[in-house]
């Protein structure tokens, strides 16, 4: 474990999105001496409401774009570290229109790295396990920090590109950077375009859930609160220049997850529709989190998936006002794609 690094002012990019807002809440609740500045463009995926309840003296909100270099020059002198979540994050959208993915995920990360270099700011880059491509269902292997990059989708290839930029800016310019590649998150504030909240809100709305392909694709689920604590452990105790994989041993097939949602919401196991598969659909993701656990002593808190899922279902039931206004448009977009 590296000597503890103790930032006092952190910039959280994408802090009005799903994982970024959960991280902002986590820092405010668990790190009393730390001030958070959120920078978010409030795209379709960002919602200022996600940050409700955070006291004004603990957080500033800047509505802006990570590609705006003059804006970054104003913000960076006021922070010690940036935790970079901002991205276009949905695979299906990247297949329909990759352009915003290249701009935000690649150019945006480049702009932030240049600002970090210029202002001497520490950089933590939040990335995905998808950069490693996929594994066969019967492969005993899991992804490790040494697995070669083999991204499949426009989304994952832009995230892989951004990881490469971070590595180069560390090696060439000495930017003090760490990278984490995490598996699939679930929990509150996740946009309803994503698998778990889409199916929960479908059931609430009386729409049959939709399963892609043969439903046997495997994702490695982690509660977003555990992602937050892992990112904090890496930022404060990780070794500069290193990559850490984040996962919580949560491999499950999509059909098993859907059955758990249906059961948890009082529906029959066959009360869903099979729909067109995602082009290039990755088969299986699986994270070996040994380095993170051994080196930093990190442990997930949410080890009972059924319980985490029940809490997530309850959150979407209790916060219908948060998602209801976009449901029709999200489903219309999927329907146009045959999904
Ligand atoms: P999200 O789509 O819910 O949120 C993204 C946020 O970034 C939004 O608030 C959006 O407004 C903001 N944003 C987009 N473009 C921007 C720009 N140009 N400038 C400033 N802000 C911009 O995404 P998420 O699921 O919370 O993912 C956050 C990060 O975590 C991403 O980098 C993603 O690649 C990574 N990640 C996600 C998962 C997952 O399961 N969701 C898993 C591993 C890694
Ligand atoms: O692995 C980490 C990645 O997890 C992150 O980098 C991405 O930002 C995040 O979106 C997520 O990517 P996935 O493509 O795995 O997540 P998604 O929720 O879109 O889909 C999960 C699985 O469910 C996937 O195999 C596709 C399937 N699916 C998805 C939807 C929306 C369905 O079967 N039906 C659906 O309606």
């Amino acid at each position: 474990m590296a000597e503890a690094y103790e930032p006092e002012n952190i910039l959280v990019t994408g802090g009005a999105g799903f994982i970024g807002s959960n991280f902002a809440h986590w820092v405010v609740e668990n790190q009393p001496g730390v001030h958070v500045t959120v920078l978010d463009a409030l795209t379709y995926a960002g919602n200022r409401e996600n940050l409700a309840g955070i006291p004004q003296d603990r957080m500033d909100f800047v509505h802006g774009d990570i590609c705006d270099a003059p804006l970054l020059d104003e913000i960076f002198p006021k922070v010690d570290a940036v935790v970079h979540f901002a991205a276009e994050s949905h695979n299906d959208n990247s297949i329909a229109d990759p352009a915003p993915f290249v701009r935000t995920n690649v150019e945006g990360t480049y702009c932030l790295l240049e600002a970090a270099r210029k202002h001497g700011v520490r950089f933590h880059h939040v990335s995905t396990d998808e950069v490693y491509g996929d594994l066969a269902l019967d492969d005993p292997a899991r992804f490790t920090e040494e697995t070669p990059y083999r991204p499949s989708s426009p989304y994952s290839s832009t995230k892989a590109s951004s990881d490469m930029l971070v590595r180069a800016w560390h090696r060439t310019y000495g930017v003090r950077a760490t990278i984490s590649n995490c598996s699939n998150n679930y929990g509150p504030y996740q946009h309803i375009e994503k698998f778990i909240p889409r199916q929960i809100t479908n059931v609430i709305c009386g729409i049959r859930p939709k399963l892609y392909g043969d439903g046997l694709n495997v994702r490695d689920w982690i509660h977003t609160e555990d992602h937050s604590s892992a990112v904090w452990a890496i930022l404060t105790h990780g070794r500069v220049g290193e990559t850490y994989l984040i996962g919580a041993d949560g491999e499950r097939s999509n059909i098993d997850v859907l059955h758990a949602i249906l059961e948890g919401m009082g529906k029959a196991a066959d009360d869903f529709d099979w729909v067109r598969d995602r082009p290039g659909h990755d088969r299986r993701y699986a994270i070996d989190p040994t380095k993170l656990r051994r080196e930093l002593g990190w442990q997930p808190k949410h080890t009972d998936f059924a319980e985490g899922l029940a809490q997530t279902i309850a959150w979407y039931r209790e916060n219908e006002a948060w998602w209801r206004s976009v449901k029709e448009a999200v489903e219309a977009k999927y329907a146009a794609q045959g999904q």
Side-chain angles (χ1 to χ4, degrees), residues 7 10-15 20 23 27 37 39 76 79-86 112 121-126 180 228 231-232 235:
I10 62 168
L11 174 64
V12 176
T13 70
F23 180 75
V27 170
T37 300
L39 170 62
F76 270 63
V79 299
D80 320 312
V82 54
V83 184
H84 175 34
F85 293 93
L112 289 166
V121 163
R122 173 87 175 243
F123 199 97
H124 180 73
H125 181 57
V126 177
S180 55
S228 292
V231 165
W232 187 259
L235 175 69

Side-chain angles (χ1 to χ4, degrees), residues 89-92 128-130 155 182-185 190 193-196 198-199 210-212 217 219 221 254 275 278 281-282 285 334 339:
S89 68
H90 192 36
N91 276 297
D92 293 321
T128 170
D129 58 359
E130 294 192 17
Y155 161 69
C182 187
S183 61
N184 284 63
N185 285 221
Q190 185 166 31
E193 67 190 353
K194 303 293 190 336
F195 180 55
I196 288 180
R198 182 182 183 205
Q199 313 316 336
K210 312 290 179 212
L211 195 58
Y212 294 176
N217 303 64
R219 296 294 181 264
W221 294 98
N254 292 340
V275 294
R278 172 184 286 170
H281 196 177
D282 280 338
Y285 304 142
Y334 274 124
Q339 294 177 318

Side-chain angles (χ1 to χ4, degrees), residues 13-20 39-47 64-67 84-90 103-104 126-129 155 159 181-186 189-191 193-194 227:
T13 70
F18 164 46
I19 306 176
L39 170 62
D40 198 293
L42 297 179
T43 67
Y44 82 94
N47 188 340
D65 196 310
I66 58 168
C67 299
H84 175 34
F85 293 93
E88 287 292 338
S89 68
H90 192 36
R103 181 179 180 277
T104 288
V126 177
S127 192
T128 170
D129 58 359
Y155 161 69
K159 291 298 290 187
N181 297 80
C182 187
S183 61
N184 284 63
N185 285 221
Y186 73 101
Y189 300 113
Q190 185 166 31
H191 196 280
E193 67 190 353
K194 303 293 190 336
H227 189 180

